[in-house]
Each structure stands twice: as C-alpha cells, then as structure tokens.
Amino acid sequence: MTPTYNRRSFLKTSSLAGGGLLLGFNLFNACTSPTNPNAVTTIPKKELFPEDWSDINAFVKIATDGSVTIMSPNPEIGQGVKTSMPMIVAEELDVDWVNVRVEQAALNTDWYERQVAGGSQSIRQGWESLRKAGATARQMLIETAAKQWEVTASECTTENGTVYHKASNKSIGYGELAAIASTMEAPTEVVLKDPKDFKIIGHSHPNIDNPAIVTGKPLFGIDIQREGMLYAMAVRPPFGKKLKSVDDMAAKAIEGVKEVITFGDKVAVVGNSTWNVKKGRDALVIEWEIAEALESSESQDAAMLELLKKPTKEPKRKDGNPDKAFKEAAQVVEAIYECPFLPHNTLEPMNYFAHVREDGVELLGPNQVPNWARGDVAKMLEIEESKITVQMTRMGGGFGRRLYPDFVKEAAEISKLAKAPIKLQWTREDDMQGGMYRPACKYLFRAALDENGNMIGYHIRGAGINMDNTVRENNFPAASVPHYLAETHNLKSNVTTAAWRAPVANFLASAEQSFIDEVALAAKKDPVAFRLELFDNALNTPVGEVGYDVARFKKTVELAAEKSNWNNKAENVYLGMSAYYSHNSYVAEVAEVVMIDGSPKLQKVYCATDCGIVVNPTGAENQVEGGIIDGIGHAMYGKLTIKDGEAQQNNFHNYRLIRMGEAPKVEMFFVDNGESPTGLGEPTLPPAAGALANAVFQATGKRMTKQPFSDFKVLG
Amino acid sequence: MANFTLQVNGEQHQVTVSADTPLLWVLRDTIGLVGTKYGCGIAQCGACTVHIDGNPVRSCSMPVSSLKGKTITTIEGLSNNGDHPLQLAWQEADVPQCGYCQAGQIMSAAALLKENPNPSDEDIDIAMRGNICRCGTYNRIRKAIHLAVKG
C-alpha cells in the first residue's frame, strides 16, 4: 500500500512563517501560553535569531549560517522516530547530519500525515513522504542557485548542504539560498536518491535527545512547569462502581490544597504541589456504590474456558473440511494456552497539562494520538477543534497506553472547572489499577496429523476479554494446511482493556509457536524442519488467502536457525525456535537455554529480522533487543488479577517487571534485501516467549502453556 | 509548612514545604530540578535515585526533614558540563530508548563506580537491580558502565 502524499506538507505555507519565531519558546516553563505554537525546540545547538531562519516547507527550516532544522512529525515514545524520521528527510535534502537540529512538531493535520505513535507504522507510512519532503526542499534550493548563476537546474548537484555547478566551478551553501528558496513554488515532481547513494540512512545515529536525557533536562510531560500552574490528582471508581458520596473536609484541610472537584464519577484534588494534592487525595473519604456486576479474574477465566468448548456461528476463516480432517486424522494434538491481564506500566505514569481558557485550549503532554485527543476534548468542551493547540512531549514509554486520550480529557475537564492551567498526575497505583489492560485471553489449539506426520488440519479457537478478534486468521500457518479453521469468542467486561505493544500478537504468537512445537514433536519432526515444510506447502500449494510473504518469512527462520547453530548445538545447550509476522515485519527468534545446577537458564536470544531497509541501525538494534526483553519479561513475571472490580496489584512491590540480571543477551541479524522499510517498535516482542517456552521444553520436558511462566517454577 | 535549607549540587536552597514532603517532589516541584524522575513512589524502580553524602538513595522515600546538613547531588549536578564518564559512555553506547529511567540508572551506576571502579558483569547486575528500565536497555546500560571504566 502506498501512503497518500499530502502535497501541502511541501508547500511554502504563509501560516508556517512563525516557525522560526518560536525557537525561543520553551514548552516546559513558558510564562504565557502561545496563541499558535507550531514548534518547540528541545535542544538548541546554538542561539540563532528568528530572522535567520527560512521555512522551506513544513519539514525543513534553514538558517543563514547553513544550520538545518528538521521537524519530527510523530510522537516519540522511545521507538526512536524523533531521530529516524528526520534522518530520512536529511538524506534527501542532502545535508550533513551534524548540522541538523530536530524539533518536535506540534499537531498539525494540514501539514503532516498520521501524527501517530502506533502500530509500528511511522517509518513504513512516512518513508515516501519524508523522502519527498527532503527532496522537494533540495530541488527548491537547487533552482534558486541555478537562477542566480543563470544555468539550468539539471546541471547542478548538491553535497552536504551546498549546491554545485561543476562546469563553472561555482558553489553556494544552502544557508545563502534559503531565504529566496522559501518564497518559491514547490515542485510537484522530484527525483529521489538511489538507495545505494544513501549516506545517512543505513548508518547509525544516536538518539537525538541523548545529551538532554543524560543531563536531566526537562523533556517529558511530567517535567512541565508553568507560571500559575496548579497540580491535580484524581480518584477514579473501581470497575463496576460509581460515585455515591464524597466527604472532602479532611482533604481541604491539607495545606496547599486549593480545591476539590467532582466530575462525573471522579474526584480531583487541585493544589500547589504534587505532594500536597496527593495528601489531599489520600484524605478524601469516598463511598462508591455498585453500578454493574463486580467482576473477578477467577470467574472470567472460568467463563473463557467454557467459551473454548463452544464453536462460533461464523468462523473467521475456514479452508477445506476441518471436521472431516480431524475425524480421519491418525493423530490429534490439542492444547489450551492462557494469559492474564497486563498493565502497560510506562515508567512515566500518565500525566497531562491542560489550560482551558475563554479563547482557546492548550493541550501539552505525552500522548500517542494527539489528533484523537483533540477531537475528544473539542467534543467534551463543545468547542471547535481549531481553538485547541496540541503539543507532544517526549514520552517515558507508550506501549499502547498513551493511544487513549482519557487522561487528556481529565486534565482538560479539571482545568475548565478549576479555571486554571493544571498538570494532572497519576500515581503508579492509579496507573496500574486504572485499567486499559492487555486483555486476558485463552486459546484452544488442535492439529490433525496424517500417518506420515503431515499436518492436514489446524484449528484455533480464541476467547478474550473485550477482544473483537483474538486470532490472526490469515497469518501463518493458514495457507500451509489444507483444512483450517479459526474461530473467536469475545467475553465482554467492564474491566477496561486496550492495545498493548503488539496487540493480540503479544500472546497469540507465543501460544501458537509453542503449540507448533508440540505438533512437530508429535509428528517426530525437528521443529525448524517442520516449520520449513509448512512454508514450502504455502509456497507450492497455497490454500486460500496467504496473508504473509512466505519466502521472506521462511528466510528469517533459516537465518535464525543458522546463526544459533540449530543443527550443531553445543552440549548442555537447548534451543527453542519461534517466528512471527506482525506489523509488516518478519521475525524469527531462537532462545538458548543452558542447565545450571539442574535448572534451565535463558542466556541468549538469537534474532533474525526482515524489516526491509534499516534506517538507523543503532536505533533498530535497540528496538529489537528491547522488544525481546519486554516479551520475555512479561511472559515470565507479568500478571494482573481482578477481584470484585479491583486490580489486586498496584505497584512494583507486588507486580514484577524484568530487571537487569534477568535480561538475556541478544544477538541480532537483519535481512538485507533493499525492501522499503517497515516498523520495529513491536514485531520482535511477539515471538520471544514462544522461543523461551520451546527451549525450556527441550531442556526439561515441561511445557509452559500459561503465563506468567514464573508460576511454573521451572526456570532458575 | 516549615522552612528547610538544602544543599543541592553545591548550592543552598531555602524551601518552605510540609516536613513529610519527599525530597523527590521538593527537587521537582519546588526547586525545579526535574531530571530526577517519579516512577513508583515506594523505592522500587530507582527512577528517582540521587546521591546523599555520596550514597545512592531513592529520593521518593526520603522526607525533606531528614536532610539537614546533608549534601545532595542530582543528575543535573553529576558533572559541570554533562561530561561525567558515564554521561559520555551512555551516549557512546546509545543507551536510551524512551530515556525516562536513565537519569536514575546513571546515578546508581555513578555510585557503583565510586565504590568499585572496575565492576564485573555480576557486580553491575547486583548494583543496578534496583533500577527498572521498562524499555529493556539493560544490556546497553551494562556495556556503557564498562565503557566508562575504560574511559
């Protein structure tokens, strides 16, 4: 799919002219809110005056001294787009990366496409338009130089921020051309670089915010401080309950508490510091009343197991005659796999700054889909979207939690009622108990084998909480097996659920890849050879729709097997293969377990990834490693349970996250095939837990079918 | 509310806050040093790590009233120009993903290197066990600590 090309992004836009003026504006401690902020600078390299800058288009500003500012359109949650997206623009602009500064763009749907951090899509969907943005600006600079020299533009070349006319031995820096170039009409057709000429893409450039991060500069939503700003915390009802009464006498008596505000079923305390509003909130005496059924994990688990016994009316996919295949099978393999709720636990808990004024609204903070937040706030306040400005701070993690604008709306509502700029802060307890979990879910898998150990039938039936679809019906092993059935059940709940890094796949992959191993072993086949056999079926005799590129997928499995010495493993080494296609990228992982003092220990994960062109290798490697450690950590330890509508875990003393000594080493390999790049924020997470489970089975004969694995007390 | 004098990064700060306010929130809300982060509030994640008289301490659980005469160093005061060997190594190893926990990680690592100038992998794992990185940059953190030792 080719993304739509928003040509307006590349035009000189008169309303953009203020961009340079905002360079001096610091979003973390500005005294007054700007009326039309469209840019923020987080790490200015040196002082340049606003009149020095010219806007070439919505992405590129160039100063008289040749400094280049590239706007980073998408929210940064740790996935690295604030570095990698500007790199793509800089490549086609043909400038030296050391002269580039990066600014986080504010929400502007006229100038930028899809300002979203989600679905691992920023690089994939931005690839073409970011390249065109850089190439368009470069062409305007060339044409400006050509006009000055009275030569044809096609005779001019560029290198590192300079235009050359070799025939007349002339050259001129972008900085001297920028003012005139910025007044030009943007070309509609531009020539993009041949990838073999890339000088920035494909080379490692460290996280652009590193200098600010390691010195503790304000970067995150939680760091926002404004003159006149008040702090706020809120209490939210447990699942299934509503507000009955509030006694705020004691809360109001706390020094520094200015106001207690009831809004809907929530109660906010507003005051002069985070600590004082927390004390005020703790002093509230609140009575809840039951509004709906109070749910518990135990009864939900039982209900899901019941659903797994029942066929669905409309399968998500059916090939051949699965009923017949299972009846006639020489052998049937069957298993149930289960996972619990998981909170996202971004290390920076939810927070947001809002200032609702008579004449407009300023929203500022960590949010993955600013456009959604603006729409929801406009609707809630019954004002036009054009009256709302939205800026994004760097985020202390997203993992899907910050896709949702609930906390943005809370901040706006409290600001409106308090008639003041406020920063809303959630505590860790609020964050862990406030819902929006990775849904708990369960799968029944069945495989039918013929007398030669060929998989002739495959059946997956999922049941998940608030999950419209628990399966990925067109993904592997669909198309590789003649008789196939995928079914899904939804168990509705008032416990709120959400996208969580690699939705659905984050557990489905682990379960499916573990089950595929069970089937391979039942068929007395090597787990890698078995997978390759299925890929060959899908290549040579595909059944129905093929939802994945079989050859690319197969290649990653072969690469991971080769690099992990699958066929030549050392003594006391146990390997587990797991491979999954998600978010347009192909990933195969092999976990390496060794037995130490009689118990298995995960020491390394080998990872083969096909995400096409790797834009920024150091960033890509960080994502691969982080995704795997995240996948292993949550499979090992993550478990949130609900009892009578309340989460039973509330902080890191009773909810375990993976720590340094438990993280495996990761050895990674990228398939170099020149394909257009796809995302990496999510795809390496899904296969990780399956690889671990398969290696542990090899080492111990114990099959871990339920997360968290730590409950099995197998791993040392 | 009461008055307290704090010695932070070589400067005296007079603050008027309630006596039970944790150092974390005095640093962030009152003094305006926001490099020290809030992650859990119960000394479990390490994001709020600072040095008190040179020792690594979780500032979220340290009431301001207990700090009389103590010397406090935050990430902002770890070096004059952001050039502590760990701050340089962190950039060289390109450690951060989201970056939120990293100030706390660096402060814990700095305290480790003062005690043990050439730690093994195991020493590092033990010393850094109190610091959570939700993005999973642990291997790069370990690498950066070794890089800082090499100088």
Side-chain angles (χ1 to χ4, degrees):
Chain A
M1 194 185 81
T2 310
T4 52
Y5 166 32
N6 181 356
R7 206 179 146 260
R8 280 176 299 177
S9 306
F10 314 139
L11 300 180
K12 165 71 184 162
T13 315
S14 59
S15 56
L16 184 63
L21 288 167
L22 289 154
L23 275 173
F25 164 69
N26 183 334
L27 85 163
F28 291 97
N29 56 16
C31 293
T32 53
S33 48
T35 49
N36 183 23
N38 57 32
V40 291
T41 304
T42 49
I43 19 167
K45 287 185 177 170
K46 59 178 171 171
E47 286 299 320
L48 283 168
F49 294 103
E51 58 267 27
D52 293 334
W53 289 96
S54 300
D55 307 306
I56 312 298
N57 59 36
F59 288 88
V60 177
K61 289 188 282 191
I62 297 178
T64 45
D65 74 347
S67 295
V68 176
T69 294
I70 298 180
M71 306 304 290
S72 184
N74 286 20
E76 173 64 62
I77 57 176
Q79 82 281 44
V81 293
K82 195 174 169 186
T83 309
S84 55
M85 292 180 92
M87 279 172 63
I88 298 169
V89 178
E91 178 70 69
E92 295 287 351
L93 182 60
D94 208 6
V95 290
D96 192 336
W97 184 249
V98 298
N99 294 328
V100 172
R101 66 188 74 201
V102 173
E103 289 179 22
Q104 174 70 57
L107 174 66
N108 190 321
T109 46
D110 286 339
W111 300 338
Y112 307 109
E113 301 161 9
R114 200 185 177 279
Q115 289 181 278
V116 174
S120 297
Q121 293 301 309
S122 295
I123 292 297
R124 175 172 169 262
Q125 296 199 29
W127 175 244
E128 193 179 319
S129 56
L130 292 167
R131 291 181 74 189
K132 282 183 177 166
T136 305
R138 173 179 169 271
Q139 188 60 32
M140 288 157 79
L141 293 157
I142 286 176
E143 281 172 24
T144 304
K147 211 176 249 176
Q148 279 189 20
W149 294 331
E150 296 177 341
V151 300
T152 53
S154 61
E155 291 168 12
C156 298
T157 57
T158 60
E159 196 177 346
N160 286 346
T162 301
V163 182
Y164 294 90
H165 185 253
K166 294 264 162 70
S168 61
N169 207 20
K170 283 181 176 138
S171 68
I172 184 167
Y174 285 3
E176 294 169 70
L177 299 166
I180 295 170
S182 70
T183 63
M184 286 181 61
E185 188 71 17
T188 50
E189 293 294 327
V190 286
V191 179
L192 300 179
K193 274 189 181 176
D194 185 327
K196 74 172 166 45
D197 297 328
F198 285 164
K199 288 191 285 195
I200 296 173
I201 292 169
H203 299 269
S204 285
H205 294 286
N207 187 329
I208 197 88
D209 281 340
N210 277 349
I213 289 168
V214 302
T215 52
K217 298 282 187 305
L219 281 172
F220 300 92
I222 198 172
D223 300 338
I224 291 162
Q225 287 182 323
R226 293 287 182 86
E227 199 171 285
M229 179 187 92
L230 297 176
Y231 297 79
M233 276 196 194
V235 191
R236 301 163 188 87
F239 306 112
K241 291 188 181 175
K242 63 179 186 182
L243 187 63
K244 187 180 177 193
S245 68
V246 189
D247 175 353
D248 61 12
M249 275 263 290
K252 283 181 168 163
I254 302 280
E255 253 184 312
V257 169
K258 290 202 165 15
E259 208 174 342
V260 175
I261 296 169
T262 299
F263 60 115
D265 285 309
K266 302 173 185 176
V267 185
V269 175
V270 177
N272 67 356
S273 77
T274 311
W275 184 249
N276 288 339
V277 297
K278 182 182 182 300
K279 284 207 300 185
R281 193 189 66 163
D282 291 348
L284 288 171
V285 180
I286 293 183
E287 263 191 285
W288 307 108
E289 61 186 337
I290 296 172
E292 299 169 28
L294 299 185
E295 300 189 16
S296 295
S297 293
E298 210 172 306
S299 50
Q300 290 175 335
D301 283 343
M304 283 189 281
L305 287 173
E306 275 308 304
L307 285 173
L308 288 186
K309 293 176 184 165
K310 295 174 190 158
T312 58
K313 282 191 193 110
E314 289 289 327
K316 297 298 290 185
R317 172 168 170 152
K318 186 178 174 184
D319 299 324
N321 190 340
D323 267 355
K324 189 162 172 278
F326 277 93
K327 266 182 206 137
E328 293 171 358
Q331 193 184 170
V332 172
V333 187
E334 185 173 318
I336 287 177
Y337 282 76
E338 304 170 74
C339 73
F341 287 116
L342 295 180
H344 298 80
N345 274 328
T346 59
L347 205 59
E348 178 192 16
M350 297 307 107
N351 62 74
Y352 209 80
F353 173 88
H355 190 187
V356 177
R357 307 179 310 268
E358 287 291 320
D359 59 339
V361 176
E362 183 190 0
L363 301 178
L364 165 57
N367 177 258
Q368 292 177 243
V369 197
N371 192 28
W372 181 4
R374 181 173 65 181
D376 270 20
V377 169
K379 210 184 226 175
M380 180 182 78
L381 298 176
E382 296 178 330
I383 59 167
E384 290 165 31
E385 287 195 14
S386 60
K387 291 220 157 63
I388 303 175
T389 64
V390 189
Q391 294 175 91
M392 295 85 87
T393 54
R394 187 175 186 86
M395 292 174 230
F399 310 109
R401 178 61 185 88
R402 292 188 157 102
L403 293 167
Y404 305 91
D406 54 311
F407 54 93
V408 180
K409 285 164 68 183
E410 285 181 354
E413 194 160 10
I414 297 166
S415 170
K416 184 189 173 183
L417 295 168
K419 297 188 170 56
I422 65 109
K423 179 169 69 175
L424 171 69
Q425 182 65 52
W426 289 41
T427 61
R428 173 60 54 199
E429 290 81 4
D430 297 339
D431 207 89
M432 217 180 279
Q433 300 195 285
M436 299 281 188
Y437 305 121
R438 188 283 296 274
C441 86
K442 300 183 195 298
Y443 293 99
L444 166 72
F445 292 98
R446 294 162 71 222
L449 294 170
D450 69 12
E451 61 280 5
N452 297 319
N454 297 313
M455 187 162 81
I456 52 168
Y458 183 88
H459 178 199
I460 176 171
R461 181 186 288 155
I465 292 176
N466 302 327
M467 292 174 80
D468 290 339
N469 188 6
T470 58
V471 298
R472 289 290 177 263
E473 61 274 10
N474 295 325
N475 212 343
F476 180 85
S480 75
V481 53
H483 308 285
Y484 176 96
L485 178 65
E487 302 175 285
T488 189
H489 287 290
N490 188 359
L491 181 65
K492 292 227 167 94
S493 169
N494 56 30
V495 177
T496 54
T497 55
W500 193 102
R501 194 177 194 177
V504 181
N506 59 46
F507 178 65
L508 171 58
S510 159
E512 171 205 289
Q513 286 295 302
S514 199
F515 179 69
I516 289 284
D517 251 45
E518 289 194 60
V519 181
L521 295 168
K524 297 189 169 48
K525 288 178 181 170
D526 171 77
V528 168
F530 184 64
R531 284 173 173 82
L532 296 178
E533 189 183 298
L534 292 173
F535 285 135
D536 285 339
N537 293 346
L539 270 177
N540 303 325
T541 52
V543 181
E545 184 184 338
V546 190
Y548 49 99
D549 184 318
V550 187
R552 289 179 72 176
F553 202 171
K554 184 182 172 188
K555 169 90 187 159
T556 59
V557 171
E558 289 172 332
L559 184 60
E562 177 203 323
K563 297 296 183 184
S564 63
N565 290 314
W566 181 268
N567 291 319
N568 189 25
K569 54 180 179 279
E571 211 176 314
N572 194 37
V573 164
Y574 302 90
L575 301 178
M577 166 65 77
S578 178
Y580 207 74
Y581 166 62
S582 76
H583 305 86
N584 313 96
S585 295
Y586 298 85
V587 181
E589 293 167 14
V590 174
E592 183 177 280
V593 160
V594 291
M595 293 298 281
I596 295 174
D597 299 331
S599 54
K601 182 163 173 30
L602 173 66
Q603 60 178 14
K604 194 192 270 187
V605 175
Y606 299 87
C607 179
T609 301
D610 177 358
C611 59
I613 292 169
V614 176
V615 174
N616 185 15
T618 178
E621 287 161 11
N622 218 349
Q623 291 305 305
V624 167
E625 185 157 325
I628 289 169
I629 290 171
D630 193 4
I632 297 288
H634 279 90
M636 281 297 300
Y637 312 116
K639 182 183 190 178
L640 184 127
T641 51
I642 303 288
K643 195 172 180 207
D644 298 331
E646 289 189 48
Q648 298 297 286
Q649 296 75 24
N650 64 1
N651 208 322
F652 299 131
H653 65 297
N654 58 16
Y655 185 95
R656 186 171 171 188
L657 287 174
I658 194 166
R659 291 177 187 263
M660 184 178 276
E662 295 143 358
K665 299 219 162 26
V666 176
E667 212 173 300
M668 63 198 99
F669 309 89
F670 292 91
V671 176
D672 180 11
N673 56 12
E675 297 274 352
S676 290
T678 53
L680 265 186
E682 292 163 284
T684 66
L685 184 148
L692 173 59
N694 291 339
V696 167
F697 180 84
Q698 292 293 335
T700 66
K702 293 199 176 97
R703 178 64 61 184
M704 301 184 292
T705 55
K706 192 173 180 176
Q707 293 183 5
F709 292 161
S710 58
D711 284 355
F712 286 84
K713 303 194 190 309
V714 173
L715 278 128
Chain B
M1 304 277 232
N3 294 320
F4 299 92
T5 302
L6 296 180
Q7 174 85 25
V8 184
N9 300 336
E11 281 177 37
Q12 299 261 332
H13 292 268
Q14 309 285 334
V15 299
T16 307
V17 293
S18 23
D20 59 354
T21 309
L23 172 61
L24 169 67
W25 297 112
V26 178
L27 290 171
R28 292 185 55 84
D29 291 354
T30 313
I31 299 176
L33 291 171
V34 296
T36 306
K37 296 297 193 247
Y38 166 72
C40 70
I42 57 166
Q44 292 287 314
C45 78
C48 68
T49 306
V50 300
H51 296 174
I52 297 180
D53 292 340
N55 300 311
V57 169
R58 313 301 180 209
S59 63
C60 72
S61 302
M62 185 59 60
V64 65
S65 57
S66 67
L67 296 167
K68 197 173 173 202
K70 310 265 188 196
T71 302
I72 300 157
T73 306
T74 70
I75 187 69
E76 291 93 340
L78 184 63
S79 63
N80 288 330
N81 302 303
D83 54 1
H84 185 283
L86 285 164
Q87 289 170 314
L88 300 176
W90 241 249
Q91 296 180 69
E92 191 183 339
D94 193 22
V95 174
Q97 284 186 32
C98 84
Y100 190 75
C101 73
Q102 301 296 351
Q105 303 275 6
I106 290 171
M107 295 307 283
S108 288
L112 165 67
L113 293 189
K114 253 191 277 174
E115 287 287 306
N116 180 353
N118 193 8
S120 66
D121 278 0
E122 200 186 351
D123 296 336
I124 293 172
D125 287 359
I126 292 167
M128 303 300 289
R129 187 164 171 80
N131 289 76
I132 290 172
C133 173
R134 176 67 183 82
C135 301
T137 64
Y138 294 123
N139 291 327
R140 286 193 179 194
I141 290 173
R142 201 186 296 111
K143 180 180 164 191
I145 294 172
H146 286 309
L147 275 175
V149 169
K150 282 184 204 148

